[in-house]
Amino acid sequence: MPSQAALLSADSAAAASQAPRSELTAALAACRTAFVGVAVFSGILNVLYLTGSFFMLEVYDRVIPSRSIPTLVGIALLALVLYIFQGIIDTIRSRVLVRTAGSLDEAISQRAYQIQIKLPLMPPALRSMQPLRDLDQVRSFMSTVGPATLFDLPWLPLYLGICFLFHPWIGIAATVGGLILICVTLLTEVLIRGPAGEAAGLASKRSTLAEASRRNAEVVQAMGMAGPLGAIWGECNAKYLAAQQRAADVTAGLGGISKVLRMLLQSAILATGAYLVINQQASGGIIIASSILTARALAPVELAIQHWKGFVTARQSWRRLNDLMARIPAEASRMALPKPAETLTLEAVSISPPGLNKLIVQDVTFQLKAGQGLGIIGPSASGKSSLARGVVGVWTAVRGKIRIDGAALDQWSPQDLAPHIGYLPQDMELFAGTVAENIARFQPEAPPEAVIAAAQAANVHELILGLPEGYETQIGEAGTALSAGQRQRIGLARALFGEPFLVVLDEPNSSLDQEGEEALTRAILGVRARGGIVVVIAHRPSALAGVDHVLVIQGGRQQAFGPKEAIIKDGPKAAAVVPAAGRNPAAASTPLRIASPLPSAVI
């Protein structure tokens, strides 16, 4: 009977055989027809590569002894035709490889982009990954002669076999040279793996720091941080260059050794052939033909050594992409649910930032009905913004459920849920494009009337018309062509686009003046009037003017929830205060008084 270990091994093998292929492997498998074509072309090419050797063999052994000009012309024309076919097939093979790489990119690029934009929401260990750059590395390698070289390597025995047909000693010399070059290739793999991996990690760190500095250029310039950050970047860049240099040194050194060995081998083959001719064991043509043939046989090995760095880099990128796709699987298709129109419910919800074990929000429970507005107040770092991220599905609740019309957020497809949610984050940014495109969330062919309706709901329509080109105004990267208040009001219009059922606004009045705050209050009341639900994270009393419920959070825990007038002393009076930004800072920072016996909390 089979042992238990054997049964377990068989079960593991069966499970592995049934495991689904990775997305990259599946995309590559879809190109198998192209690879079969490349393999066929490589076979034809490697046969055509014999043209030069046999042409020299015929010239020395047939034409020169016979002094026949017609024979020379005939084999010269035949060689010309074969060389033309060789060039055509080589060109076709290269074009097929380039298009295969493009096909792989086309199949994976959207998936890689989706992963790229999700990485900031992932654990810290994954945030430095750059799947789009890794995909570029794989595509670039597939577009070079590197893969073609791998297709040429299996034909090495053909050339060595022909060398043995010329004479066993010539075959032995070529085989020994080939084995030495293969050992050099394996040594290249061992020596380059460490420096190449280190260089890849440092490249990611270097680009991340540079991108962070670019995004915060104003702070870096104004506060004199360019020097210290430049020193940190320079240190990282120096380490990256050192790792690159070590990898290049390995490739260049072993590549040089391979060239010397190949030339030495050619000379050895010539010497062996000369010895055989002297002893009348071979013809003069075999000397030249075997030398050319040996050089052609070992050329793929030499090219493999020269391109091994690119191969190692592409392999590392392939593994990182596979790992990311396994960790961040594609969204599964879900049955479409009805358009939400009734309630938002939180059931003992606890939230933790991705990758951290610390709970920022703990056991928050409340329910809102259509037409209601909720203001969330509490001290700084009490978990208000974290709760907002959980409500819109940016962060996943580690405990409890967040439901819209009774359906938990994980029952919705993100693409199906997105039109029903409007979100204005605390650190709001716009994208390079027109004002209309930003409001429409860059949806293709968005109805102009829907864009205008969202702008009117945010009370920003007149402001947009006052811009140089109205709705077609290019706002620049991150909205740099607009003021902070204009960006925030256009961000509010984006949140209201399509009349979403749930609108979550995190400190929506942080950059607004009195006119903007009044417009914000009207927008909140407008969402409630059409039957939507509004959640507002507030640090200034004026933001609560349009809500009817208040949730108090302190230390990540819910302290109170209920009608605004019942939670806040002099609620209507306090909520009606709309201080002008910059004119009265004291009013903007005045704490709301929480009804006894709840602890006081600064909004």
Side-chain angles (χ1 to χ4, degrees), residues 117-148:
I117 62 178
K118 288 182 179 179
L119 286 179
L121 311 177
M122 295 291 113
L126 297 179
R127 293 175 190 170
S128 62
M129 299 293 184
Q130 297 185 15
L132 291 176
R133 190 190 65 181
D134 286 336
L135 181 58
D136 286 341
Q137 292 280 6
V138 173
R139 187 194 66 249
S140 297
F141 174 73
M142 290 183 62
S143 302
T144 63
V145 298

PDB file of all heavy atoms in Angstrom, residues 117-148:
ATOM      1  N   ILE A 117      -3.187  51.889  -9.118  1.00  0.00           N
ATOM      2  CA  ILE A 117      -3.963  52.893  -8.396  1.00  0.00           C
ATOM      3  C   ILE A 117      -4.505  52.354  -7.080  1.00  0.00           C
ATOM      4  O   ILE A 117      -4.965  53.128  -6.243  1.00  0.00           O
ATOM      5  CB  ILE A 117      -5.124  53.424  -9.266  1.00  0.00           C
ATOM      6  CG1 ILE A 117      -6.106  52.298  -9.632  1.00  0.00           C
ATOM      7  CG2 ILE A 117      -4.591  54.084 -10.516  1.00  0.00           C
ATOM      8  CD1 ILE A 117      -7.295  52.780 -10.443  1.00  0.00           C
ATOM      9  N   LYS A 118      -4.445  51.029  -6.883  1.00  0.00           N
ATOM     10  CA  LYS A 118      -4.872  50.457  -5.602  1.00  0.00           C
ATOM     11  C   LYS A 118      -3.735  50.347  -4.600  1.00  0.00           C
ATOM     12  O   LYS A 118      -3.978  50.172  -3.401  1.00  0.00           O
ATOM     13  CB  LYS A 118      -5.474  49.060  -5.828  1.00  0.00           C
ATOM     14  CG  LYS A 118      -6.836  49.067  -6.489  1.00  0.00           C
ATOM     15  CD  LYS A 118      -7.363  47.650  -6.634  1.00  0.00           C
ATOM     16  CE  LYS A 118      -8.740  47.633  -7.285  1.00  0.00           C
ATOM     17  NZ  LYS A 118      -9.258  46.254  -7.448  1.00  0.00           N
ATOM     18  N   LEU A 119      -2.485  50.440  -5.069  1.00  0.00           N
ATOM     19  CA  LEU A 119      -1.343  50.233  -4.178  1.00  0.00           C
ATOM     20  C   LEU A 119      -1.307  51.203  -2.998  1.00  0.00           C
ATOM     21  O   LEU A 119      -0.931  50.798  -1.897  1.00  0.00           O
ATOM     22  CB  LEU A 119      -0.043  50.317  -4.976  1.00  0.00           C
ATOM     23  CG  LEU A 119       0.257  49.099  -5.858  1.00  0.00           C
ATOM     24  CD1 LEU A 119       1.560  49.301  -6.614  1.00  0.00           C
ATOM     25  CD2 LEU A 119       0.337  47.826  -5.026  1.00  0.00           C
ATOM     26  N   PRO A 120      -1.660  52.500  -3.173  1.00  0.00           N
ATOM     27  CA  PRO A 120      -1.661  53.383  -1.985  1.00  0.00           C
ATOM     28  C   PRO A 120      -2.636  52.942  -0.902  1.00  0.00           C
ATOM     29  O   PRO A 120      -2.517  53.384   0.240  1.00  0.00           O
ATOM     30  CB  PRO A 120      -2.078  54.740  -2.576  1.00  0.00           C
ATOM     31  CG  PRO A 120      -1.662  54.675  -4.000  1.00  0.00           C
ATOM     32  CD  PRO A 120      -1.896  53.252  -4.410  1.00  0.00           C
ATOM     33  N   LEU A 121      -3.591  52.078  -1.229  1.00  0.00           N
ATOM     34  CA  LEU A 121      -4.561  51.589  -0.252  1.00  0.00           C
ATOM     35  C   LEU A 121      -4.157  50.234   0.306  1.00  0.00           C
ATOM     36  O   LEU A 121      -4.901  49.641   1.090  1.00  0.00           O
ATOM     37  CB  LEU A 121      -5.954  51.468  -0.903  1.00  0.00           C
ATOM     38  CG  LEU A 121      -6.433  52.702  -1.688  1.00  0.00           C
ATOM     39  CD1 LEU A 121      -7.765  52.417  -2.337  1.00  0.00           C
ATOM     40  CD2 LEU A 121      -6.525  53.905  -0.765  1.00  0.00           C
ATOM     41  N   MET A 122      -2.989  49.742  -0.098  1.00  0.00           N
ATOM     42  CA  MET A 122      -2.509  48.428   0.312  1.00  0.00           C
ATOM     43  C   MET A 122      -1.528  48.570   1.485  1.00  0.00           C
ATOM     44  O   MET A 122      -1.142  49.665   1.863  1.00  0.00           O
ATOM     45  CB  MET A 122      -1.813  47.741  -0.867  1.00  0.00           C
ATOM     46  CG  MET A 122      -2.740  47.413  -2.038  1.00  0.00           C
ATOM     47  SD  MET A 122      -3.927  46.121  -1.638  1.00  0.00           S
ATOM     48  CE  MET A 122      -5.450  47.086  -1.688  1.00  0.00           C
ATOM     49  N   PRO A 123      -1.128  47.436   2.090  1.00  0.00           N
ATOM     50  CA  PRO A 123      -0.118  47.483   3.161  1.00  0.00           C
ATOM     51  C   PRO A 123       1.160  48.169   2.693  1.00  0.00           C
ATOM     52  O   PRO A 123       1.489  48.165   1.502  1.00  0.00           O
ATOM     53  CB  PRO A 123       0.125  45.993   3.475  1.00  0.00           C
ATOM     54  CG  PRO A 123      -1.163  45.326   3.096  1.00  0.00           C
ATOM     55  CD  PRO A 123      -1.667  46.090   1.911  1.00  0.00           C
ATOM     56  N   PRO A 124       1.902  48.783   3.635  1.00  0.00           N
ATOM     57  CA  PRO A 124       3.098  49.558   3.256  1.00  0.00           C
ATOM     58  C   PRO A 124       4.107  48.775   2.427  1.00  0.00           C
ATOM     59  O   PRO A 124       4.784  49.356   1.575  1.00  0.00           O
ATOM     60  CB  PRO A 124       3.691  49.953   4.617  1.00  0.00           C
ATOM     61  CG  PRO A 124       2.527  49.957   5.549  1.00  0.00           C
ATOM     62  CD  PRO A 124       1.617  48.860   5.073  1.00  0.00           C
ATOM     63  N   ALA A 125       4.229  47.468   2.650  1.00  0.00           N
ATOM     64  CA  ALA A 125       5.225  46.684   1.923  1.00  0.00           C
ATOM     65  C   ALA A 125       4.954  46.661   0.424  1.00  0.00           C
ATOM     66  O   ALA A 125       5.876  46.442  -0.377  1.00  0.00           O
ATOM     67  CB  ALA A 125       5.261  45.253   2.458  1.00  0.00           C
ATOM     68  N   LEU A 126       3.716  46.891   0.011  1.00  0.00           N
ATOM     69  CA  LEU A 126       3.363  46.825  -1.405  1.00  0.00           C
ATOM     70  C   LEU A 126       3.349  48.192  -2.077  1.00  0.00           C
ATOM     71  O   LEU A 126       3.313  48.277  -3.300  1.00  0.00           O
ATOM     72  CB  LEU A 126       1.983  46.183  -1.573  1.00  0.00           C
ATOM     73  CG  LEU A 126       1.826  44.733  -1.110  1.00  0.00           C
ATOM     74  CD1 LEU A 126       0.390  44.269  -1.342  1.00  0.00           C
ATOM     75  CD2 LEU A 126       2.793  43.820  -1.846  1.00  0.00           C
ATOM     76  N   ARG A 127       3.365  49.255  -1.301  1.00  0.00           N
ATOM     77  CA  ARG A 127       3.136  50.586  -1.874  1.00  0.00           C
ATOM     78  C   ARG A 127       4.255  51.051  -2.785  1.00  0.00           C
ATOM     79  O   ARG A 127       4.050  51.918  -3.632  1.00  0.00           O
ATOM     80  CB  ARG A 127       2.913  51.606  -0.753  1.00  0.00           C
ATOM     81  CG  ARG A 127       1.613  51.361   0.010  1.00  0.00           C
ATOM     82  CD  ARG A 127       1.449  52.283   1.188  1.00  0.00           C
ATOM     83  NE  ARG A 127       0.323  51.866   2.028  1.00  0.00           N
ATOM     84  CZ  ARG A 127       0.059  52.356   3.210  1.00  0.00           C
ATOM     85  NH1 ARG A 127       0.838  53.298   3.716  1.00  0.00           N
ATOM     86  NH2 ARG A 127      -0.968  51.918   3.909  1.00  0.00           N
ATOM     87  N   SER A 128       5.459  50.517  -2.595  1.00  0.00           N
ATOM     88  CA  SER A 128       6.580  50.939  -3.441  1.00  0.00           C
ATOM     89  C   SER A 128       6.645  50.169  -4.754  1.00  0.00           C
ATOM     90  O   SER A 128       7.489  50.469  -5.606  1.00  0.00           O
ATOM     91  CB  SER A 128       7.900  50.758  -2.674  1.00  0.00           C
ATOM     92  OG  SER A 128       8.101  49.392  -2.350  1.00  0.00           O
ATOM     93  N   MET A 129       5.773  49.186  -4.936  1.00  0.00           N
ATOM     94  CA  MET A 129       5.773  48.411  -6.177  1.00  0.00           C
ATOM     95  C   MET A 129       5.308  49.284  -7.345  1.00  0.00           C
ATOM     96  O   MET A 129       4.516  50.207  -7.165  1.00  0.00           O
ATOM     97  CB  MET A 129       4.861  47.190  -6.046  1.00  0.00           C
ATOM     98  CG  MET A 129       5.282  46.213  -4.961  1.00  0.00           C
ATOM     99  SD  MET A 129       6.847  45.421  -5.361  1.00  0.00           S
ATOM    100  CE  MET A 129       7.002  44.278  -3.991  1.00  0.00           C
ATOM    101  N   GLN A 130       5.810  48.972  -8.523  1.00  0.00           N
ATOM    102  CA  GLN A 130       5.442  49.726  -9.716  1.00  0.00           C
ATOM    103  C   GLN A 130       5.107  48.749 -10.837  1.00  0.00           C
ATOM    104  O   GLN A 130       5.950  48.437 -11.689  1.00  0.00           O
ATOM    105  CB  GLN A 130       6.588  50.661 -10.125  1.00  0.00           C
ATOM    106  CG  GLN A 130       6.904  51.709  -9.075  1.00  0.00           C
ATOM    107  CD  GLN A 130       7.943  52.707  -9.532  1.00  0.00           C
ATOM    108  OE1 GLN A 130       8.247  52.806 -10.710  1.00  0.00           O
ATOM    109  NE2 GLN A 130       8.488  53.454  -8.602  1.00  0.00           N
ATOM    110  N   PRO A 131       3.886  48.234 -10.838  1.00  0.00           N
ATOM    111  CA  PRO A 131       3.528  47.206 -11.820  1.00  0.00           C
ATOM    112  C   PRO A 131       3.624  47.680 -13.260  1.00  0.00           C
ATOM    113  O   PRO A 131       3.967  46.895 -14.143  1.00  0.00           O
ATOM    114  CB  PRO A 131       2.086  46.833 -11.444  1.00  0.00           C
ATOM    115  CG  PRO A 131       1.587  47.975 -10.615  1.00  0.00           C
ATOM    116  CD  PRO A 131       2.785  48.522  -9.906  1.00  0.00           C
ATOM    117  N   LEU A 132       3.326  48.942 -13.523  1.00  0.00           N
ATOM    118  CA  LEU A 132       3.406  49.431 -14.899  1.00  0.00           C
ATOM    119  C   LEU A 132       4.854  49.433 -15.387  1.00  0.00           C
ATOM    120  O   LEU A 132       5.133  49.095 -16.545  1.00  0.00           O
ATOM    121  CB  LEU A 132       2.805  50.836 -14.994  1.00  0.00           C
ATOM    122  CG  LEU A 132       1.283  50.914 -14.809  1.00  0.00           C
ATOM    123  CD1 LEU A 132       0.821  52.356 -14.829  1.00  0.00           C
ATOM    124  CD2 LEU A 132       0.563  50.114 -15.889  1.00  0.00           C
ATOM    125  N   ARG A 133       5.775  49.808 -14.505  1.00  0.00           N
ATOM    126  CA  ARG A 133       7.186  49.774 -14.896  1.00  0.00           C
ATOM    127  C   ARG A 133       7.653  48.328 -15.103  1.00  0.00           C
ATOM    128  O   ARG A 133       8.408  48.035 -16.033  1.00  0.00           O
ATOM    129  CB  ARG A 133       8.045  50.438 -13.818  1.00  0.00           C
ATOM    130  CG  ARG A 133       9.487  50.660 -14.252  1.00  0.00           C
ATOM    131  CD  ARG A 133      10.355  51.093 -13.104  1.00  0.00           C
ATOM    132  NE  ARG A 133      10.463  50.024 -12.105  1.00  0.00           N
ATOM    133  CZ  ARG A 133      11.145  50.125 -10.976  1.00  0.00           C
ATOM    134  NH1 ARG A 133      11.749  51.250 -10.681  1.00  0.00           N
ATOM    135  NH2 ARG A 133      11.198  49.132 -10.130  1.00  0.00           N
ATOM    136  N   ASP A 134       7.180  47.424 -14.245  1.00  0.00           N
ATOM    137  CA  ASP A 134       7.547  46.011 -14.414  1.00  0.00           C
ATOM    138  C   ASP A 134       7.020  45.469 -15.738  1.00  0.00           C
ATOM    139  O   ASP A 134       7.702  44.703 -16.424  1.00  0.00           O
ATOM    140  CB  ASP A 134       7.002  45.184 -13.244  1.00  0.00           C
ATOM    141  CG  ASP A 134       7.785  45.411 -11.960  1.00  0.00           C
ATOM    142  OD1 ASP A 134       8.957  45.801 -12.056  1.00  0.00           O
ATOM    143  OD2 ASP A 134       7.223  45.205 -10.874  1.00  0.00           O
ATOM    144  N   LEU A 135       5.795  45.849 -16.088  1.00  0.00           N
ATOM    145  CA  LEU A 135       5.240  45.409 -17.372  1.00  0.00           C
ATOM    146  C   LEU A 135       6.060  45.972 -18.527  1.00  0.00           C
ATOM    147  O   LEU A 135       6.288  45.273 -19.525  1.00  0.00           O
ATOM    148  CB  LEU A 135       3.778  45.840 -17.475  1.00  0.00           C
ATOM    149  CG  LEU A 135       3.038  45.426 -18.746  1.00  0.00           C
ATOM    150  CD1 LEU A 135       3.052  43.921 -18.920  1.00  0.00           C
ATOM    151  CD2 LEU A 135       1.604  45.947 -18.732  1.00  0.00           C
ATOM    152  N   ASP A 136       6.513  47.212 -18.394  1.00  0.00           N
ATOM    153  CA  ASP A 136       7.372  47.798 -19.431  1.00  0.00           C
ATOM    154  C   ASP A 136       8.667  47.006 -19.574  1.00  0.00           C
ATOM    155  O   ASP A 136       9.159  46.804 -20.696  1.00  0.00           O
ATOM    156  CB  ASP A 136       7.692  49.256 -19.083  1.00  0.00           C
ATOM    157  CG  ASP A 136       6.503  50.177 -19.317  1.00  0.00           C
ATOM    158  OD1 ASP A 136       5.589  49.778 -20.057  1.00  0.00           O
ATOM    159  OD2 ASP A 136       6.496  51.283 -18.749  1.00  0.00           O
ATOM    160  N   GLN A 137       9.226  46.562 -18.444  1.00  0.00           N
ATOM    161  CA  GLN A 137      10.472  45.788 -18.492  1.00  0.00           C
ATOM    162  C   GLN A 137      10.256  44.470 -19.238  1.00  0.00           C
ATOM    163  O   GLN A 137      11.075  44.073 -20.070  1.00  0.00           O
ATOM    164  CB  GLN A 137      10.964  45.500 -17.062  1.00  0.00           C
ATOM    165  CG  GLN A 137      11.433  46.727 -16.299  1.00  0.00           C
ATOM    166  CD  GLN A 137      12.832  47.161 -16.674  1.00  0.00           C
ATOM    167  OE1 GLN A 137      13.438  46.609 -17.587  1.00  0.00           O
ATOM    168  NE2 GLN A 137      13.358  48.146 -15.989  1.00  0.00           N
ATOM    169  N   VAL A 138       9.148  43.796 -18.951  1.00  0.00           N
ATOM    170  CA  VAL A 138       8.862  42.521 -19.617  1.00  0.00           C
ATOM    171  C   VAL A 138       8.655  42.740 -21.106  1.00  0.00           C
ATOM    172  O   VAL A 138       9.203  42.014 -21.943  1.00  0.00           O
ATOM    173  CB  VAL A 138       7.620  41.861 -18.978  1.00  0.00           C
ATOM    174  CG1 VAL A 138       7.211  40.618 -19.769  1.00  0.00           C
ATOM    175  CG2 VAL A 138       7.910  41.481 -17.531  1.00  0.00           C
ATOM    176  N   ARG A 139       7.869  43.764 -21.454  1.00  0.00           N
ATOM    177  CA  ARG A 139       7.600  44.027 -22.868  1.00  0.00           C
ATOM    178  C   ARG A 139       8.876  44.424 -23.610  1.00  0.00           C
ATOM    179  O   ARG A 139       9.109  43.987 -24.737  1.00  0.00           O
ATOM    180  CB  ARG A 139       6.559  45.144 -23.004  1.00  0.00           C
ATOM    181  CG  ARG A 139       6.097  45.369 -24.441  1.00  0.00           C
ATOM    182  CD  ARG A 139       5.346  46.656 -24.620  1.00  0.00           C
ATOM    183  NE  ARG A 139       6.188  47.808 -24.398  1.00  0.00           N
ATOM    184  CZ  ARG A 139       6.067  48.628 -23.365  1.00  0.00           C
ATOM    185  NH1 ARG A 139       5.118  48.434 -22.468  1.00  0.00           N
ATOM    186  NH2 ARG A 139       6.884  49.659 -23.210  1.00  0.00           N
ATOM    187  N   SER A 140       9.703  45.254 -22.960  1.00  0.00           N
ATOM    188  CA  SER A 140      10.946  45.692 -23.614  1.00  0.00           C
ATOM    189  C   SER A 140      11.860  44.511 -23.892  1.00  0.00           C
ATOM    190  O   SER A 140      12.455  44.418 -24.972  1.00  0.00           O
ATOM    191  CB  SER A 140      11.661  46.727 -22.735  1.00  0.00           C
ATOM    192  OG  SER A 140      10.870  47.884 -22.584  1.00  0.00           O
ATOM    193  N   PHE A 141      11.982  43.590 -22.939  1.00  0.00           N
ATOM    194  CA  PHE A 141      12.854  42.432 -23.156  1.00  0.00           C
ATOM    195  C   PHE A 141      12.314  41.556 -24.279  1.00  0.00           C
ATOM    196  O   PHE A 141      13.076  41.074 -25.127  1.00  0.00           O
ATOM    197  CB  PHE A 141      12.969  41.614 -21.874  1.00  0.00           C
ATOM    198  CG  PHE A 141      13.742  40.334 -22.053  1.00  0.00           C
ATOM    199  CD1 PHE A 141      15.115  40.354 -22.203  1.00  0.00           C
ATOM    200  CD2 PHE A 141      13.094  39.106 -22.093  1.00  0.00           C
ATOM    201  CE1 PHE A 141      15.833  39.177 -22.389  1.00  0.00           C
ATOM    202  CE2 PHE A 141      13.793  37.932 -22.284  1.00  0.00           C
ATOM    203  CZ  PHE A 141      15.176  37.966 -22.430  1.00  0.00           C
ATOM    204  N   MET A 142      10.992  41.369 -24.317  1.00  0.00           N
ATOM    205  CA  MET A 142      10.402  40.526 -25.356  1.00  0.00           C
ATOM    206  C   MET A 142      10.555  41.152 -26.748  1.00  0.00           C
ATOM    207  O   MET A 142      10.471  40.443 -27.747  1.00  0.00           O
ATOM    208  CB  MET A 142       8.925  40.274 -25.056  1.00  0.00           C
ATOM    209  CG  MET A 142       8.680  39.365 -23.865  1.00  0.00           C
ATOM    210  SD  MET A 142       6.918  39.043 -23.609  1.00  0.00           S
ATOM    211  CE  MET A 142       6.505  38.215 -25.149  1.00  0.00           C
ATOM    212  N   SER A 143      10.784  42.464 -26.793  1.00  0.00           N
ATOM    213  CA  SER A 143      10.924  43.140 -28.083  1.00  0.00           C
ATOM    214  C   SER A 143      12.359  43.149 -28.590  1.00  0.00           C
ATOM    215  O   SER A 143      12.605  43.620 -29.702  1.00  0.00           O
ATOM    216  CB  SER A 143      10.419  44.588 -27.966  1.00  0.00           C
ATOM    217  OG  SER A 143       9.072  44.623 -27.536  1.00  0.00           O
ATOM    218  N   THR A 144      13.311  42.653 -27.783  1.00  0.00           N
ATOM    219  CA  THR A 144      14.719  42.667 -28.186  1.00  0.00           C
ATOM    220  C   THR A 144      15.111  41.319 -28.781  1.00  0.00           C
ATOM    221  O   THR A 144      14.282  40.419 -28.934  1.00  0.00           O
ATOM    222  CB  THR A 144      15.611  42.973 -26.972  1.00  0.00           C
ATOM    223  OG1 THR A 144      15.472  41.914 -26.004  1.00  0.00           O
ATOM    224  CG2 THR A 144      15.204  44.285 -26.319  1.00  0.00           C
ATOM    225  N   VAL A 145      16.429  41.187 -29.079  1.00  0.00           N
ATOM    226  CA  VAL A 145      16.920  39.924 -29.624  1.00  0.00           C
ATOM    227  C   VAL A 145      17.092  38.870 -28.539  1.00  0.00           C
ATOM    228  O   VAL A 145      17.443  37.724 -28.846  1.00  0.00           O
ATOM    229  CB  VAL A 145      18.270  40.138 -30.344  1.00  0.00           C
ATOM    230  CG1 VAL A 145      18.106  41.090 -31.504  1.00  0.00           C
ATOM    231  CG2 VAL A 145      19.329  40.666 -29.372  1.00  0.00           C
ATOM    232  N   GLY A 146      16.842  39.254 -27.267  1.00  0.00           N
ATOM    233  CA  GLY A 146      17.006  38.295 -26.179  1.00  0.00           C
ATOM    234  C   GLY A 146      16.170  37.037 -26.345  1.00  0.00           C
ATOM    235  O   GLY A 146      16.696  35.908 -26.331  1.00  0.00           O
ATOM    236  N   PRO A 147      14.835  37.158 -26.525  1.00  0.00           N
ATOM    237  CA  PRO A 147      14.026  35.951 -26.728  1.00  0.00           C
ATOM    238  C   PRO A 147      14.421  35.188 -27.990  1.00  0.00           C
ATOM    239  O   PRO A 147      14.381  33.952 -28.006  1.00  0.00           O
ATOM    240  CB  PRO A 147      12.596  36.509 -26.842  1.00  0.00           C
ATOM    241  CG  PRO A 147      12.642  37.818 -26.138  1.00  0.00           C
ATOM    242  CD  PRO A 147      14.004  38.363 -26.387  1.00  0.00           C
ATOM    243  N   ALA A 148      14.798  35.914 -29.054  1.00  0.00           N
ATOM    244  CA  ALA A 148      15.224  35.236 -30.283  1.00  0.00           C
ATOM    245  C   ALA A 148      16.444  34.368 -30.010  1.00  0.00           C
ATOM    246  O   ALA A 148      16.574  33.253 -30.556  1.00  0.00           O
ATOM    247  CB  ALA A 148      15.533  36.270 -31.366  1.00  0.00           C
TER     248      ALA A 148
END
